[in-house]
């Protein structure tokens, strides 16, 4: 090894010393010397490489450029000063941006794979779809739209769909890439094509041709209005199949009628035909795939997606089925609650109500704190929500009996002690119902004993839910359930058992099921 020597008072380093000084390997310095990136200052008579301070600085610059990812040609250009440092940095920065975009795209695809049950074939398709150009993405959507509705006389609808193309930005977020992958999958779903074709066919039949901006805006305003009204009703605890939903239906129908002026069958006022046609339009449009199609386009194009209208739509359709014509449901209720010739024993009902409340009170008191978050047979309700509803039902019917109806459906009625809250509400209910003359007094068209009857039904069925959720026997008070089932059938028999309503369709019961199980099954609970 050649030690450090001095030539004209300039210190020269051996290749080993240069390697130690720069942190590079001897092998790499030798390679860079051979390719002209960092040649030595001179060689000894024996051929050993020697490096002065300037050569070492060149090596250090080359190392820095290499660490930044520049290739040999770019490094050579900078150290030879044939290419400016800023120019090389800019070129490399552009290259890094392209690489980062590719890596982000790959990352988004991999995250989509993690979040989905993806087969190897689907993974290959997802990767190809993610790498499509803007023109190729647009072509996919245009082909889908045109092949679905091109032959129909719906130019405004078609133009709107063609204009809504997926404009994935140069640097998309993971959410946008995932949305594009989902959209590309969705347009291959025959069910989406069928749903969009059905909507277009309905439009071509009832309102063909062009539609101006004012007409489109009126429809959008109507949609915003009914979604707002229905959402507020849901938040207030108004059931779609209850009498209190009738005014909401009437207001929405009145707002809908002017939007039909350019259709082939303009409506001449609220009635059975108008309500049937509005329901028909909602049913045609009620496909979650078409809604998701629009939401995905918004996400891809960087716009906030419109909140889902599925739940408000289900509520309104059920309300329209319930109130198929103005006053029909009210007339049916009036006929049902007419107590002329009725043989119901009010004292017997009060006794049954007392027993049911006492039984449910024992169930509530037995609930353990760790059970409050457990699921129940009521969709989207945990045990705590169910307990809150049991208290609310008592408060509601008591307030009706007192002539001061409550509307705080969404409030927390449990506090920190669910058992105490239910016990207090149940006592208040019995106090109100035992008031002299209450069972004979009329509340609207209904006599007071009907309120007592309603509490019995509510406590039995939701008591059954609580028993099921907490592992208790569900065959409690079968004698009361047996006499209550005919009343439940009379009250709820005419109601539509559709999403958005109070009850699911009646469920089958096994042979030998208790009367309480049969009541729960009639009101949509799964037995077993």
């Amino acid at each position: 090894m050649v030690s450090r020597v001095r030539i004209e008072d300039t210190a020269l380093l051996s290749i080993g010393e240069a390697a130690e000084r720069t942190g590079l390997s001897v092998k790499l310095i030798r390679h860079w010397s051979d390719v002209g990136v960092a040649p030595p200052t001179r060689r000894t008579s024996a051929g050993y490489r020697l490096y002065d301070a300037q050569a070492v600085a060149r090596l250090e610059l080359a190392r820095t450029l290499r660490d930044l990812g520049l290739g040999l040609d770019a490094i050579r250009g900078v150290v030879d000063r044939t290419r400016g440092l800023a120019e090389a940095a800019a070129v490399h920065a552009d290259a890094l941006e392209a690489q980062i975009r590719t890596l982000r795209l790959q990352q988004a695809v991999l995250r989509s794979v993690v979040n989905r049950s993806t087969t190897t074939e689907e993974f290959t398709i997802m990767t190809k779809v993610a790498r499509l150009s803007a023109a190729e993405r647009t072509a996919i959507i245009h082909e889908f739209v045109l092949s679905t509705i091109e032959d129909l006389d719906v130019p405004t609808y078609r133009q709107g769909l063609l204009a809504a193309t997926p404009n994935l930005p140069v640097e998309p977020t993971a959410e946008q890439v995932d949305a594009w992958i989902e959209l590309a999958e969705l347009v291959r779903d025959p069910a989406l094509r069928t749903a969009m074709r059905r909507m277009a066919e309905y439009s071509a039949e009832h309102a063909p041709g062009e539609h101006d901006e004012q007409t489109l805006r009126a429809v959008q305003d109507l949609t915003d209005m009914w979604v707002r009204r229905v959402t507020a009703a849901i938040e207030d605890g108004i059931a779609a199949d209850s009498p209190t939903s009738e005014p909401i239906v009437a207001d929405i129908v009145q707002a809908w009628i002017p939007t039909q002026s350019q259709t082939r069958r303009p409506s001449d006022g609220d009635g059975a035909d108008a309500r049937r046609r509005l329901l028909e339009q909602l049913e045609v449009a009620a496909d979650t795939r078409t809604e998701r199609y629009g939401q995905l386009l918004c996400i891809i194009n960087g716009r906030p997606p419109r909140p889902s209208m599925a739940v408000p739509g289900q509520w309104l359709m059920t309300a329209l089925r319930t109130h198929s014509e103005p006053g029909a449901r009210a007339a049916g209720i009036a006929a049902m609650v007419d107590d002329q010739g009725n043989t119901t024993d009010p004292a017997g009902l009060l006794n049954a109500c007392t027993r049911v409340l006492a039984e449910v009170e024992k169930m509530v008191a037995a609930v353990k704190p760790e059970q409050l978050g457990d699921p129940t047979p009521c969709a989207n309700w945990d045990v705590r929500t169910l307990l809150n509803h049991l208290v609310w039902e008592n408060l509601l019917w008591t307030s009706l009996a007192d002539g001061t109806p409550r509307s705080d459906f969404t409030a927390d009625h449990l506090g920190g002690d669910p058992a105490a809250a239910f016990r207090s509400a149940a006592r208040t209910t019995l106090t109100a119902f035992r008031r002299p003359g209450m069972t004979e007094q009329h509340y609207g068209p209904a006599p007071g004993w009907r309120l007592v009857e309603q509490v019995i039904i509510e406590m039995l069925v939701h008591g059954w839910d609580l028993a099921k959720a907490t592992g208790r026997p569900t065959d409690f008070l079968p004698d009361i359930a047996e006499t209550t089932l005919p009343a439940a059938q009379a009250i709820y028999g005419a109601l539509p058992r559709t999403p958005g309503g109070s009850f699911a369709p009646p469920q089958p019961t096994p042979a030998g099921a208790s009367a309480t199980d049969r009541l729960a099954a009639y009101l949509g609970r799964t037995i077993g």
Side-chain angles (χ1 to χ4, degrees):
M1 178 68 68
V2 177
S3 61
R4 182 178 300 178
V5 298
R6 299 186 68 83
I7 299 178
E8 298 177 351
D9 297 325
T10 301
L12 295 176
L13 304 179
S14 69
I15 193 170
E17 291 171 326
E20 184 178 354
R21 175 77 62 84
T22 61
L24 299 168
S25 69
V26 169
K27 182 179 180 180
L28 181 59
I29 293 177
R30 187 178 292 118
H31 173 65
W32 279 358
S33 172
D34 293 343
V35 298
V37 170
T41 303
R42 56 159 290 181
R43 290 176 182 263
T44 67
S45 58
Y48 292 109
R49 295 172 173 86
L50 298 174
Y51 296 85
D52 62 10
Q54 185 177 357
V56 170
R58 184 182 177 108
L59 282 169
E60 290 176 333
L61 175 60
R63 182 194 64 188
T64 300
L65 295 173
R66 183 203 62 172
D67 290 345
L68 288 173
L70 271 69
L72 274 179
D73 289 340
I75 293 173
R76 187 185 300 110
V78 173
V79 297
D80 286 345
R81 299 185 184 281
T82 58
R83 172 182 283 186
L85 178 60
E87 178 189 358
V91 170
H92 188 58
D94 290 341
L96 283 175
E97 285 183 6
Q99 186 178 11
I100 289 170
R101 286 196 298 271
T102 300
L103 289 173
R104 284 176 176 165
L105 197 61
Q106 293 171 349
Q107 180 189 47
V109 171
L110 291 172
R111 290 200 184 282
S112 291
V113 171
V114 171
N115 296 329
R116 303 163 184 254
S117 299
T118 305
T119 65
T120 54
E121 181 181 358
E122 290 170 337
F123 174 60
T124 301
I125 294 172
M126 287 168 61
T127 302
K128 291 179 179 178
V129 164
R131 291 175 175 172
L132 292 176
S133 67
E136 289 169 327
R137 290 193 297 270
T138 298
I140 286 176
I141 300 303
H142 281 194
E143 188 281 330
F144 164 73
V145 171
L146 293 176
S147 64
T148 301
I149 63 172
E150 185 175 20
D151 59 318
L152 299 175
D153 185 15
V154 285
T156 304
Y157 182 50
R158 180 169 54 251
Q159 290 163 12
L161 290 175
L162 291 175
T165 54
N167 297 315
L168 203 64
V170 175
E171 296 187 12
T173 64
E175 182 186 26
Q176 287 174 310
V177 174
D178 193 54
W180 163 239
I181 292 171
E182 184 181 344
L183 180 64
E185 291 176 348
L186 186 59
V187 296
R188 296 199 303 270
D189 185 350
L192 173 66
R193 191 179 298 271
T194 299
M196 296 188 78
R197 174 79 182 183
R198 183 171 60 248
M199 291 172 63
E201 287 175 339
Y202 188 90
S203 179
E205 178 183 355
H206 297 278
E210 296 277 0
H211 298 287
D212 58 30
E213 186 64 31
Q214 183 177 358
T215 300
L216 298 178
R217 171 48 58 188
V219 172
Q220 185 59 62
D221 289 345
L222 170 68
T223 302
D224 292 341
M225 174 267 189
W226 73 253
V227 169
R228 185 170 57 252
R229 286 292 305 276
V230 169
T231 299
I234 293 172
E235 291 174 351
D236 289 341
I238 298 175
D241 49 16
S242 70
T244 48
S245 66
E246 162 73 16
I248 300 171
V249 169
D251 288 348
I252 292 172
V253 172
Q254 287 295 340
W256 168 82
I257 289 172
T259 67
Q260 305 304 295
S261 61
Q262 296 185 26
T263 65
R264 285 177 170 171
R265 289 181 56 201
S267 178
D268 57 0
D270 189 1
D273 182 66
R275 296 189 179 199
R276 181 190 60 76
R277 287 173 54 204
L278 174 55
L279 174 60
E280 186 178 72
Q281 291 177 13
L282 291 169
E283 289 173 336
V284 168
D287 190 289
T288 55
R289 298 175 191 84
T290 59
E291 181 177 67
R292 186 59 179 161
Y293 178 90
Q295 290 174 333
L296 291 171
L297 282 171
C298 287
I299 294 171
I300 294 167
N301 294 330
R303 299 194 303 270
R306 187 183 183 93
S308 174
M309 296 189 296
V311 172
Q314 290 172 348
W315 190 99
L316 181 54
M317 286 186 286
T318 294
L320 284 164
R321 295 182 187 110
T322 302
H323 306 287
S324 56
E325 58 181 304
R329 176 65 178 154
I333 292 174
M336 179 189 68
V337 302
D338 185 359
D339 58 347
Q340 291 185 6
N342 178 68
T343 59
T344 299
D345 174 19
L349 274 180
L350 283 172
N351 179 60
C353 186
T354 301
R355 289 176 60 200
V356 172
L357 287 171
E359 187 67 25
V360 175
E361 184 178 324
K362 287 189 288 186
M363 294 184 194
V364 174
V367 174
K368 300 179 177 67
E370 59 269 24
Q371 293 178 307
L372 292 176
D374 290 349
T376 73
C378 300
N380 303 318
W381 282 9
D382 58 17
V383 169
R384 193 181 197 284
T385 306
L386 175 58
L387 293 175
N388 196 62
H389 185 74
L390 282 165
V391 174
W392 157 254
E393 287 289 348
N394 279 280
L395 298 176
L396 171 64
W397 294 103
T398 299
S399 70
L400 292 172
D402 291 339
T404 55
R406 301 178 66 127
S407 60
D408 53 343
F409 172 76
T410 58
D412 178 9
H413 302 291
L414 294 182
D417 191 342
F422 182 85
R423 184 166 55 251
S424 174
R427 298 291 182 275
T428 303
T429 296
L430 291 175
T431 298
F433 287 176
R434 288 168 177 164
R435 188 178 66 247
M438 182 272 170
T439 55
E440 290 76 29
Q441 180 180 340
H442 273 66
Y443 299 85
W449 62 264
R450 286 288 190 181
L451 275 64
V452 180
E453 182 180 67
Q454 189 65 45
V455 169
I456 294 173
I457 295 172
E458 293 286 347
M459 293 299 108
L460 281 174
V461 70
H462 287 307
W464 187 95
D465 294 332
L466 183 60
K468 189 77 171 177
T470 56
R472 294 175 64 90
T474 59
D475 57 351
F476 60 95
L477 302 177
D479 58 320
I480 297 178
E482 190 71 59
T483 59
T484 301
L485 180 56
Q489 292 169 333
I491 294 170
Y492 302 120
L495 295 184
R497 301 294 188 95
T498 53
S502 299
F503 305 105
Q507 301 299 306
T509 54
S514 71
T516 315
D517 284 342
R518 286 188 282 113
L519 173 64
Y522 178 73
L523 296 177
R525 273 63 174 177
T526 301
I527 308 302

